[in-house]
Amino acid sequence: VALESLLPPVPPGEPQLHGTLSTTIQGRATLGAFEELIHSTTGSGTLTLETPVITNLNVLRNVFEKLAVIPGLLEKLEQRLPPEYDELLTATDTTLSPLTISLELHNGVLRFNELNVRTEVFGLSGAGQVSLQGAIHVSAILRIHPTCSAALIRSVQELGALVNATGEIETPVTLHGQLPRVALVPGINDIASRILVTKFQDLLGSFIERAIE
């Protein structure tokens, strides 16, 4: 079934998740009124989304726009990134790889502990929940492919503070809202602390070098 047919309509130009959805859930329920049925049903199963794409939203651009702890980040990237990486910031939509999610249903809430979303340039892994009324909250880690991360860091050195041991720019993010409107918010406090620690280490290293000379 088309996912967009199950979600409330959104105004033209706003982000919307599209794809072909299929799901299987096994469980038990207590008979009664519809509201009682919804909240008494428990079970587990899987959700599969084929050909997923988020229209009218460039996820990476959206994240970089909100990283105010690095002043002028988006403008610097737009000016300095090599032409072959232009689409990272100029693409209108975000195309995802097909995904399958294991989930549990309890008291009218779908919970998932192993969310893994992939694109050609980044991955998103985490856990969260969606109520049957459409309220969503997901805590996740966004990791950018090492090759793309290296290009981004060459353009804006401060991003180097966010690199993990495998060369990926890594940042916590939260998705929350009421479907179909969901906000993607980077973990500003975590990012700011990592940048400050890196700057302090650089300053300390420079101080020690001058003291030795």
Side-chain angles (χ1 to χ4, degrees), residues 38-134:
I38 289 294
H39 289 283
S40 68
T41 301
T42 60
S44 61
T46 59
L47 179 150
T48 300
L49 189 61
E50 299 288 344
T51 62
V53 58
I54 308 172
T55 56
N56 302 312
L57 178 67
N58 181 318
V59 169
L60 283 186
R61 183 181 181 91
N62 182 264
V63 169
F64 290 145
E65 283 176 338
K66 295 175 180 177
L67 292 185
V69 293
I70 304 178
L73 172 61
L74 187 60
E75 291 76 11
K76 292 176 182 176
L77 289 174
E78 289 176 329
Q79 294 168 5
R80 300 173 185 175
L81 269 178
E84 60 266 31
Y85 291 100
D86 282 348
E87 195 172 351
L88 285 179
L89 303 178
T90 60
T92 303
D93 307 326
T94 300
T95 300
L96 312 177
S97 299
L99 63 141
T100 298
I101 305 170
S102 297
L103 49 83
E104 295 183 355
L105 173 61
H106 184 67
N107 290 334
V109 177
L110 291 170
R111 293 184 173 87
F112 41 90
N113 295 319
E114 295 183 0
L115 174 67
N116 288 292
V117 178
R118 293 286 179 269
T119 75
E120 291 184 353
V121 295
F122 71 84
L124 190 73
S125 58
Q129 63 182 42
V130 182
S131 74
L132 296 183
Q133 289 75 36

